[in-house]
Amino acid sequence: MNIDWAAFTPLSALLGGALIGAAAALLMLFNGRIAGISGLVGRLLTPQAGNGEALLFVLGLLLAPWIYLAVAGEISVQVEAGPLALIVGGLLVGFGSRLGSGCTSGHGVCGLSRLSPRSLVATLSFMGAGFVTVFVLRHLLGV
Amino acid sequence: MRGLIALASGLLFGFGLLISGMANPAKVLGFLDLAGAWDPSLALVMAGAIGVAFLPMQWIQRRGTTLRGEQAQLPASRTIDRRLVLGSLLFGAGWGVAGFCPGPALVAASALIPQALLLVAAMLLGMWLFALYDRRVKA
C-alpha cells in the first residue's frame, strides 16, 4: 500500500468527524432520532408525520455551506466525474441507500455506534463495493 | 424545541462534512482507491464520529427514552436480508462512481456546485424510484 502523505489531513478529519458524531449524538439524545441522511431525505418524498423535523435537519445541512463559506472564504469540492458518472452514481446512491435502509451516516456512524449487526453488514458491503468500484474504474478500465 | 435541535444537528453535521473533507469527492475517491496513492483521512473521520457518538448512542439505546423523556425511535429490524446487502452494495458502487454519498451531495449542491446539482437530481430520482418499487413489493 502506498500512502499519499501529502493528501493526508488527520487533524481536520478527526475534528470534522467529531462534529459529525456530535450532530448524531445531539439528535439522538434530545429527539431520539437516527441522523441518517438517506432516511431523512427519503421520507420527505412521501408526506408523513415527523417530516417537519426531518425538513429542519435537511435545512440545517443546506445552510451549513453558506455559513462555512462566509467564515472560511472558500469550500473545497473537486469533482472529476463527468455527467454520465454523476447520473449513474446519483441513481445508485439514491436507490441503493433506500433499499439498504441507510448510508454512511445512518449505518456507518449511528449504526456502528449502536453496535448494530445490520449496520456492520451494510457498512462492510458499501465500503467493499466502493473499494471494488474505484479499483475497476481507475485501474482496470483506466477511466 | 425538537425543530431547533434538528436544525442545529443538521448544521453541525454539515460543518463536520465540510471540515473533514467528506464533502470533497476527490478526497473520498482518494480514500476508496486502495491501489493508488491512498489517502487514509476518511478512516479518521469515521473514527472521530464514532468516538463522539458511541457513548450517547449506547446510553439512549439502553434507556430507550430521550433526555426529555420521550420514546427514542430506534430501528426495530434485526434481520440481515438480501435488501440490506444488495442495497448497500448498490449504494457503495454509486459512491465509488462519483465520490458522493447523500450528505456531502446535498451540501455541495447547496453550494451550487453544478456537478453536485446533477448528482442530487439523479439521487432524488433514485429515491423516488425506490419508493415506487417498495410500494409495489409491499402491496
Side-chain angles (χ1 to χ4, degrees):
Chain A
M1 183 169 289
N2 178 16
I3 292 183
D4 186 354
W5 291 108
F8 186 40
T9 48
L11 285 181
S12 57
L14 275 172
L15 174 68
L19 287 178
I20 294 170
L26 188 69
L27 201 64
M28 180 51 74
L29 285 169
F30 291 95
N31 290 13
R33 295 277 287 258
I34 298 283
I37 314 285
S38 58
L40 290 169
V41 174
R43 64 177 296 143
L44 290 177
L45 298 178
T46 329
Q48 58 191 299
N51 270 7
E53 199 183 335
L55 191 65
L56 281 165
F57 179 92
V58 173
L59 189 68
L61 198 62
L62 296 178
L63 278 174
W66 292 96
I67 297 172
Y68 186 90
L69 206 58
V71 175
E74 59 165 5
I75 63 172
S76 177
V77 179
Q78 300 149 273
V79 188
E80 291 151 25
L84 180 65
L86 292 165
I87 292 170
V88 171
L91 283 170
L92 286 171
V93 166
F95 190 90
S97 62
R98 294 296 289 146
L99 182 64
S101 307
C103 58
T104 348
S105 49
H107 281 311
V109 176
C110 298
L112 291 188
S113 295
R114 295 191 305 115
L115 299 177
S116 152
R118 261 174 68 84
S119 290
L120 179 63
V121 169
T123 305
L124 292 175
S125 303
F126 67 68
M127 296 283 297
F131 287 134
V132 169
T133 302
V134 172
F135 182 78
V136 170
L137 288 177
R138 285 197 176 175
H139 301 285
L140 295 185
L141 301 176
V143 186
Chain B
M1 180 68 179
R2 286 187 78 91
L4 209 62
I5 294 284
L7 184 71
S9 174
L11 264 177
L12 260 185
F13 206 108
F15 292 146
L17 291 174
L18 286 160
I19 291 169
S20 65
M22 273 301 283
N24 185 356
K27 200 152 177 70
V28 171
L29 294 176
F31 171 75
L32 291 177
D33 189 6
L34 290 175
W38 190 53
D39 175 0
S41 306
L42 294 202
L44 292 182
V45 180
M46 282 303 267
I50 292 172
V52 170
F54 186 78
L55 287 178
M57 289 287 181
Q58 289 294 322
W59 191 41
I60 296 298
Q61 185 159 255
R62 253 154 243 209
R63 38 183 277 159
T65 54
T66 68
L67 292 184
R68 295 188 298 132
E70 292 168 346
Q71 187 80 31
Q73 295 167 41
L74 296 160
S77 172
R78 302 196 64 79
T79 44
I80 291 166
D81 53 12
R82 202 165 51 185
R83 277 168 79 106
L84 179 80
V85 175
L86 182 64
S88 299
L89 289 174
L90 291 175
F91 159 52
W95 193 32
V97 167
F100 277 118
C101 55
L106 289 172
V107 167
S110 176
L112 302 178
I113 310 283
Q115 295 103 319
L117 287 166
L118 179 59
L119 182 124
V120 164
M123 179 178 90
L124 292 175
L125 179 61
M127 288 179 169
W128 181 72
L129 288 172
F130 169 77
L132 290 185
Y133 161 81
D134 197 41
R135 211 170 303 158
R136 271 183 68 162
V137 168
K138 285 181 178 162

